[in-house]
PDB file of all heavy atoms in Angstrom:
ATOM      1  N   HIS A  87     -53.593 -32.423 -47.013  1.00  0.00           N
ATOM      2  CA  HIS A  87     -54.369 -31.240 -47.294  1.00  0.00           C
ATOM      3  C   HIS A  87     -53.394 -30.183 -47.859  1.00  0.00           C
ATOM      4  O   HIS A  87     -52.288 -30.084 -47.501  1.00  0.00           O
ATOM      5  CB  HIS A  87     -54.859 -30.743 -46.041  1.00  0.00           C
ATOM      6  CG  HIS A  87     -56.006 -29.736 -46.142  1.00  0.00           C
ATOM      7  ND1 HIS A  87     -55.852 -28.481 -46.602  1.00  0.00           N
ATOM      8  CD2 HIS A  87     -57.323 -29.798 -45.947  1.00  0.00           C
ATOM      9  CE1 HIS A  87     -56.948 -27.780 -46.679  1.00  0.00           C
ATOM     10  NE2 HIS A  87     -57.848 -28.609 -46.263  1.00  0.00           N
ATOM     11  N   PRO A  88     -53.887 -29.428 -48.826  1.00  0.00           N
ATOM     12  CA  PRO A  88     -53.042 -28.394 -49.522  1.00  0.00           C
ATOM     13  C   PRO A  88     -52.551 -27.370 -48.533  1.00  0.00           C
ATOM     14  O   PRO A  88     -51.547 -26.685 -48.774  1.00  0.00           O
ATOM     15  CB  PRO A  88     -53.907 -27.813 -50.622  1.00  0.00           C
ATOM     16  CG  PRO A  88     -55.315 -28.168 -50.198  1.00  0.00           C
ATOM     17  CD  PRO A  88     -55.203 -29.465 -49.507  1.00  0.00           C
ATOM     18  N   ARG A  89     -53.242 -27.175 -47.377  1.00  0.00           N
ATOM     19  CA  ARG A  89     -52.711 -26.125 -46.428  1.00  0.00           C
ATOM     20  C   ARG A  89     -51.325 -26.472 -45.954  1.00  0.00           C
ATOM     21  O   ARG A  89     -50.552 -25.622 -45.579  1.00  0.00           O
ATOM     22  CB  ARG A  89     -53.662 -25.927 -45.236  1.00  0.00           C
ATOM     23  CG  ARG A  89     -53.732 -27.046 -44.305  1.00  0.00           C
ATOM     24  CD  ARG A  89     -54.604 -26.684 -43.057  1.00  0.00           C
ATOM     25  NE  ARG A  89     -54.894 -27.898 -42.346  1.00  0.00           N
ATOM     26  CZ  ARG A  89     -55.995 -28.549 -42.373  1.00  0.00           C
ATOM     27  NH1 ARG A  89     -57.056 -28.199 -43.161  1.00  0.00           N
ATOM     28  NH2 ARG A  89     -56.207 -29.626 -41.660  1.00  0.00           N
ATOM     29  N   ILE A  90     -50.932 -27.671 -45.968  1.00  0.00           N
ATOM     30  CA  ILE A  90     -49.628 -28.121 -45.636  1.00  0.00           C
ATOM     31  C   ILE A  90     -48.590 -27.510 -46.530  1.00  0.00           C
ATOM     32  O   ILE A  90     -47.424 -27.207 -46.163  1.00  0.00           O
ATOM     33  CB  ILE A  90     -49.544 -29.733 -45.623  1.00  0.00           C
ATOM     34  CG1 ILE A  90     -50.365 -30.246 -44.440  1.00  0.00           C
ATOM     35  CG2 ILE A  90     -48.061 -30.109 -45.513  1.00  0.00           C
ATOM     36  CD1 ILE A  90     -50.461 -31.742 -44.427  1.00  0.00           C
ATOM     37  N   PHE A  91     -49.044 -27.366 -47.782  1.00  0.00           N
ATOM     38  CA  PHE A  91     -48.113 -26.817 -48.838  1.00  0.00           C
ATOM     39  C   PHE A  91     -48.417 -25.378 -49.064  1.00  0.00           C
ATOM     40  O   PHE A  91     -47.971 -24.852 -50.154  1.00  0.00           O
ATOM     41  CB  PHE A  91     -48.222 -27.670 -50.179  1.00  0.00           C
ATOM     42  CG  PHE A  91     -47.952 -29.091 -49.955  1.00  0.00           C
ATOM     43  CD1 PHE A  91     -48.988 -30.068 -49.925  1.00  0.00           C
ATOM     44  CD2 PHE A  91     -46.677 -29.579 -49.772  1.00  0.00           C
ATOM     45  CE1 PHE A  91     -48.717 -31.380 -49.745  1.00  0.00           C
ATOM     46  CE2 PHE A  91     -46.350 -30.850 -49.619  1.00  0.00           C
ATOM     47  CZ  PHE A  91     -47.457 -31.788 -49.527  1.00  0.00           C
ATOM     48  N   LYS A  92     -49.165 -24.700 -48.286  1.00  0.00           N
ATOM     49  CA  LYS A  92     -49.664 -23.312 -48.507  1.00  0.00           C
ATOM     50  C   LYS A  92     -48.580 -22.384 -48.963  1.00  0.00           C
ATOM     51  O   LYS A  92     -48.702 -21.681 -50.021  1.00  0.00           O
ATOM     52  CB  LYS A  92     -50.329 -22.832 -47.299  1.00  0.00           C
ATOM     53  CG  LYS A  92     -50.900 -21.397 -47.419  1.00  0.00           C
ATOM     54  CD  LYS A  92     -51.696 -21.004 -46.134  1.00  0.00           C
ATOM     55  CE  LYS A  92     -52.457 -19.764 -46.234  1.00  0.00           C
ATOM     56  NZ  LYS A  92     -51.674 -18.546 -46.176  1.00  0.00           N
ATOM     57  N   LYS A  93     -47.437 -22.300 -48.220  1.00  0.00           N
ATOM     58  CA  LYS A  93     -46.363 -21.348 -48.566  1.00  0.00           C
ATOM     59  C   LYS A  93     -45.785 -21.746 -49.941  1.00  0.00           C
ATOM     60  O   LYS A  93     -45.441 -20.890 -50.735  1.00  0.00           O
ATOM     61  CB  LYS A  93     -45.348 -21.327 -47.482  1.00  0.00           C
ATOM     62  CG  LYS A  93     -45.843 -20.738 -46.190  1.00  0.00           C
ATOM     63  CD  LYS A  93     -46.162 -19.339 -46.362  1.00  0.00           C
ATOM     64  CE  LYS A  93     -46.594 -18.651 -45.051  1.00  0.00           C
ATOM     65  NZ  LYS A  93     -47.115 -17.323 -45.245  1.00  0.00           N
ATOM     66  N   ILE A  95     -47.250 -23.248 -52.435  1.00  0.00           N
ATOM     67  CA  ILE A  95     -48.208 -22.951 -53.500  1.00  0.00           C
ATOM     68  C   ILE A  95     -48.187 -21.450 -53.666  1.00  0.00           C
ATOM     69  O   ILE A  95     -48.147 -20.963 -54.814  1.00  0.00           O
ATOM     70  CB  ILE A  95     -49.571 -23.483 -53.175  1.00  0.00           C
ATOM     71  CG1 ILE A  95     -49.576 -24.977 -53.179  1.00  0.00           C
ATOM     72  CG2 ILE A  95     -50.680 -22.923 -54.106  1.00  0.00           C
ATOM     73  CD1 ILE A  95     -50.855 -25.649 -52.552  1.00  0.00           C
ATOM     74  N   GLU A  96     -48.307 -20.640 -52.612  1.00  0.00           N
ATOM     75  CA  GLU A  96     -48.350 -19.198 -52.630  1.00  0.00           C
ATOM     76  C   GLU A  96     -47.041 -18.603 -53.336  1.00  0.00           C
ATOM     77  O   GLU A  96     -47.138 -17.559 -53.985  1.00  0.00           O
ATOM     78  CB  GLU A  96     -48.610 -18.598 -51.292  1.00  0.00           C
ATOM     79  CG  GLU A  96     -50.005 -18.848 -50.785  1.00  0.00           C
ATOM     80  CD  GLU A  96     -50.213 -18.384 -49.402  1.00  0.00           C
ATOM     81  OE1 GLU A  96     -49.228 -17.974 -48.727  1.00  0.00           O
ATOM     82  OE2 GLU A  96     -51.404 -18.277 -49.005  1.00  0.00           O
ATOM     83  N   LYS A 113     -61.429 -27.373 -48.819  1.00  0.00           N
ATOM     84  CA  LYS A 113     -61.777 -26.045 -49.338  1.00  0.00           C
ATOM     85  C   LYS A 113     -60.516 -25.480 -49.995  1.00  0.00           C
ATOM     86  O   LYS A 113     -59.515 -25.141 -49.306  1.00  0.00           O
ATOM     87  CB  LYS A 113     -62.300 -25.176 -48.194  1.00  0.00           C
ATOM     88  CG  LYS A 113     -63.437 -25.788 -47.399  1.00  0.00           C
ATOM     89  CD  LYS A 113     -64.584 -26.069 -48.239  1.00  0.00           C
ATOM     90  CE  LYS A 113     -65.762 -26.644 -47.305  1.00  0.00           C
ATOM     91  NZ  LYS A 113     -66.794 -27.351 -48.104  1.00  0.00           N
ATOM     92  N   VAL A 114     -60.525 -25.351 -51.312  1.00  0.00           N
ATOM     93  CA  VAL A 114     -59.273 -24.925 -52.036  1.00  0.00           C
ATOM     94  C   VAL A 114     -59.541 -23.684 -52.844  1.00  0.00           C
ATOM     95  O   VAL A 114     -58.574 -23.286 -53.578  1.00  0.00           O
ATOM     96  CB  VAL A 114     -58.667 -26.099 -52.852  1.00  0.00           C
ATOM     97  CG1 VAL A 114     -58.367 -27.267 -51.972  1.00  0.00           C
ATOM     98  CG2 VAL A 114     -59.699 -26.524 -53.963  1.00  0.00           C
ATOM     99  N   ALA A 115     -60.609 -23.069 -52.758  1.00  0.00           N
ATOM    100  CA  ALA A 115     -60.925 -21.809 -53.630  1.00  0.00           C
ATOM    101  C   ALA A 115     -59.889 -20.737 -53.340  1.00  0.00           C
ATOM    102  O   ALA A 115     -59.552 -19.994 -54.294  1.00  0.00           O
ATOM    103  CB  ALA A 115     -62.301 -21.328 -53.293  1.00  0.00           C
ATOM    104  N   ALA A 116     -59.285 -20.687 -52.169  1.00  0.00           N
ATOM    105  CA  ALA A 116     -58.283 -19.595 -51.917  1.00  0.00           C
ATOM    106  C   ALA A 116     -57.001 -19.826 -52.633  1.00  0.00           C
ATOM    107  O   ALA A 116     -56.162 -18.918 -52.792  1.00  0.00           O
ATOM    108  CB  ALA A 116     -57.998 -19.480 -50.383  1.00  0.00           C
ATOM    109  N   TYR A 117     -56.746 -21.047 -53.052  1.00  0.00           N
ATOM    110  CA  TYR A 117     -55.542 -21.378 -53.806  1.00  0.00           C
ATOM    111  C   TYR A 117     -55.741 -21.247 -55.268  1.00  0.00           C
ATOM    112  O   TYR A 117     -56.251 -22.176 -55.974  1.00  0.00           O
ATOM    113  CB  TYR A 117     -55.076 -22.812 -53.453  1.00  0.00           C
ATOM    114  CG  TYR A 117     -54.874 -23.082 -51.998  1.00  0.00           C
ATOM    115  CD1 TYR A 117     -55.912 -23.649 -51.187  1.00  0.00           C
ATOM    116  CD2 TYR A 117     -53.698 -22.794 -51.311  1.00  0.00           C
ATOM    117  CE1 TYR A 117     -55.780 -23.803 -49.838  1.00  0.00           C
ATOM    118  CE2 TYR A 117     -53.539 -22.950 -49.966  1.00  0.00           C
ATOM    119  CZ  TYR A 117     -54.470 -23.543 -49.245  1.00  0.00           C
ATOM    120  OH  TYR A 117     -54.388 -23.666 -47.883  1.00  0.00           O
ATOM    121  N   LYS A 118     -55.399 -20.132 -55.846  1.00  0.00           N
ATOM    122  CA  LYS A 118     -55.785 -19.830 -57.257  1.00  0.00           C
ATOM    123  C   LYS A 118     -55.033 -20.755 -58.196  1.00  0.00           C
ATOM    124  O   LYS A 118     -55.487 -20.921 -59.292  1.00  0.00           O
ATOM    125  CB  LYS A 118     -55.507 -18.331 -57.611  1.00  0.00           C
ATOM    126  CG  LYS A 118     -56.307 -17.353 -56.653  1.00  0.00           C
ATOM    127  CD  LYS A 118     -57.740 -17.630 -56.765  1.00  0.00           C
ATOM    128  CE  LYS A 118     -58.519 -16.632 -55.849  1.00  0.00           C
ATOM    129  NZ  LYS A 118     -60.006 -17.033 -55.674  1.00  0.00           N
ATOM    130  N   ASN A 119     -53.863 -21.120 -57.869  1.00  0.00           N
ATOM    131  CA  ASN A 119     -53.129 -22.013 -58.789  1.00  0.00           C
ATOM    132  C   ASN A 119     -52.991 -23.502 -58.315  1.00  0.00           C
ATOM    133  O   ASN A 119     -52.112 -24.219 -58.541  1.00  0.00           O
ATOM    134  CB  ASN A 119     -51.680 -21.516 -58.943  1.00  0.00           C
ATOM    135  CG  ASN A 119     -50.955 -21.412 -57.609  1.00  0.00           C
ATOM    136  OD1 ASN A 119     -51.557 -21.157 -56.565  1.00  0.00           O
ATOM    137  ND2 ASN A 119     -49.640 -21.573 -57.537  1.00  0.00           N
ATOM    138  N   TYR A 120     -54.156 -23.954 -57.620  1.00  0.00           N
ATOM    139  CA  TYR A 120     -54.273 -25.392 -57.213  1.00  0.00           C
ATOM    140  C   TYR A 120     -55.576 -25.944 -57.616  1.00  0.00           C
ATOM    141  O   TYR A 120     -56.621 -25.314 -57.387  1.00  0.00           O
ATOM    142  CB  TYR A 120     -54.076 -25.342 -55.662  1.00  0.00           C
ATOM    143  CG  TYR A 120     -54.199 -26.768 -55.090  1.00  0.00           C
ATOM    144  CD1 TYR A 120     -53.026 -27.529 -55.111  1.00  0.00           C
ATOM    145  CD2 TYR A 120     -55.253 -27.275 -54.549  1.00  0.00           C
ATOM    146  CE1 TYR A 120     -52.988 -28.831 -54.580  1.00  0.00           C
ATOM    147  CE2 TYR A 120     -55.362 -28.528 -53.936  1.00  0.00           C
ATOM    148  CZ  TYR A 120     -54.234 -29.296 -53.998  1.00  0.00           C
ATOM    149  OH  TYR A 120     -54.231 -30.586 -53.487  1.00  0.00           O
ATOM    150  N   HIS A 121     -55.516 -27.062 -58.331  1.00  0.00           N
ATOM    151  CA  HIS A 121     -56.780 -27.725 -58.802  1.00  0.00           C
ATOM    152  C   HIS A 121     -56.840 -29.125 -58.090  1.00  0.00           C
ATOM    153  O   HIS A 121     -55.920 -29.814 -57.978  1.00  0.00           O
ATOM    154  CB  HIS A 121     -56.591 -27.892 -60.238  1.00  0.00           C
ATOM    155  CG  HIS A 121     -57.862 -28.491 -60.939  1.00  0.00           C
ATOM    156  ND1 HIS A 121     -58.090 -29.892 -61.021  1.00  0.00           N
ATOM    157  CD2 HIS A 121     -58.945 -27.994 -61.457  1.00  0.00           C
ATOM    158  CE1 HIS A 121     -59.180 -30.165 -61.484  1.00  0.00           C
ATOM    159  NE2 HIS A 121     -59.743 -29.033 -61.876  1.00  0.00           N
TER     160      HIS A 121
END
Side-chain angles (χ1 to χ4, degrees):
H87 197 290
R89 71 173 168 260
I90 292 170
F91 303 106
K92 181 175 188 284
K93 293 294 183 190
I95 294 169
E96 289 176 347
K113 308 298 184 200
V114 297
Y117 303 94
K118 302 303 180 193
N119 57 327
Y120 182 79
H121 182 274

